Amino acid sequence: MRHRTPKATVPPDPRLERWEAGAELPLLAASLVFLAGYALHVLVPEGNRFVRETGLVAVGVTWLMFLVDYAVRYRLSRQRPIRFVRTHWLDTVVLVLPLLRPLRVVKVYTAIRRRGSRARLGLHARVITYAGLSALLLGFAGALNVYQAERHAPDATIRTFGDSVWWVAATLTTVGYGDVVPVTVRGRTVAVGMMIGGLALLGAVTGSFSSWLLSVFAQEGDDEAPGE
């Protein structure tokens, strides 16, 4: 019986780590520009065509930056396409749906869980801060998307951007009053994403806070043990 010898794993290019470290802040700025451009295109009245078109240009340029970053990461990783997509699924989702870029906080939450054996308040506090900022950015992006999809739909209850913000706040916090709801397919698809994102972010915050409390209590118990 033959035994297949496993193929040797090609190590990533040493430049990959430097690229990821150097590109993180520029891509964060590009994400904010993308969101601002999309907001201009959605919120500015249709009569002001120049501003709306400028927003679209900003969206296109920043999305190209995301595409270049994704291509460089793939090239330097030296992985096959399917394996790269599997190991970088969040980057792939963000490339297809750039408005979901705030969900990269999941990577931070994974990192803190791997270091759960050590009590590091700074790390826990950063996760909570990132989750809060991500909730704001994700909520704003979702409100824009739902408002764009719903405002001209027949029988829609979300007619203004304020209605959309109210709906997103109720959805992300898992309250769900039900006074305003999306009626279009696109709006309901965004709603599912908001529900999943809200649960994930809420879980990241509560999990990190609980982990910090348990670490503090465990440390206090260790300090009291010698005296007893």
Side-chain angles (χ1 to χ4, degrees):
M1 184 176 181
R2 293 184 179 181
H3 294 279
R4 293 183 179 180
T5 56
K7 295 182 179 179
T9 303
V10 180
D13 193 304
R15 295 173 295 177
L16 177 60
E17 185 175 353
R18 296 196 300 269
W19 171 268
E20 291 180 341
E24 195 62 33
L25 287 179
L27 289 177
L28 175 60
S31 302
L32 298 178
V33 172
F34 181 95
L35 193 57
Y38 183 59
L40 287 177
H41 179 68
V42 173
L43 298 179
V44 171
E46 296 181 1
N48 198 337
R49 185 175 179 180
F50 175 76
V51 177
R52 289 170 57 87
E53 294 298 328
T54 301
L56 276 182
V57 171
V59 168
V61 171
T62 50
W63 185 82
L64 284 177
M65 291 179 62
F66 302 150
L67 179 61
V68 170
D69 172 70
Y70 189 84
V72 171
R73 289 172 188 258
Y74 164 68
R75 182 69 177 177
L76 295 180
S77 69
R78 297 174 179 173
Q79 294 179 341
R80 293 186 176 182
I82 297 178
R83 179 175 177 79
F84 180 81
V85 171
R86 186 185 306 126
T87 56
H88 296 77
W89 63 269
L90 187 57
D91 295 321
T92 305
V93 171
V94 167
L95 179 65
V96 178
L97 300 172
L99 289 176
L100 297 181
R101 192 165 185 82
L103 288 180
R104 286 176 63 88
V105 72
V106 174
K107 289 188 174 182
V108 183
Y109 183 53
T110 302
I112 191 175
R113 292 193 64 181
R114 291 176 180 173
R115 303 181 185 182
S117 57
R118 291 184 294 172
R120 297 185 59 182
L121 176 60
L123 185 58
H124 288 79
R126 283 198 299 271
V127 170
I128 295 175
T129 302
Y130 293 157
L133 292 175
S134 295
L136 290 176
L137 293 174
L138 185 63
F140 183 59
L144 289 172
N145 208 327
V146 168
Y147 174 58
Q148 186 182 28
E150 297 287 321
R151 57 183 171 181
H152 298 310
D155 302 324
T157 58
I158 301 176
R159 292 293 185 181
T160 66
F161 184 64
D163 293 337
S164 184
V165 171
W166 168 254
W167 170 81
V168 164
T171 303
L172 279 179
T173 55
T174 67
V175 175
Y177 283 107
D179 52 347
V180 289
V181 293
V183 297
T184 63
V185 175
R186 175 180 168 185
R188 291 178 176 178
T189 302
V190 175
V192 173
M194 290 289 104
M195 295 173 192
I196 297 174
L199 290 174
L201 292 171
L202 184 62
V205 172
T206 56
S208 300
F209 185 68
S210 300
S211 176
W212 173 71
L213 284 179
L214 291 175
S215 300
V216 171
F217 293 153
Q219 185 175 4
E220 290 179 354
D222 293 339
D223 293 339
E224 293 178 358
E228 295 176 356

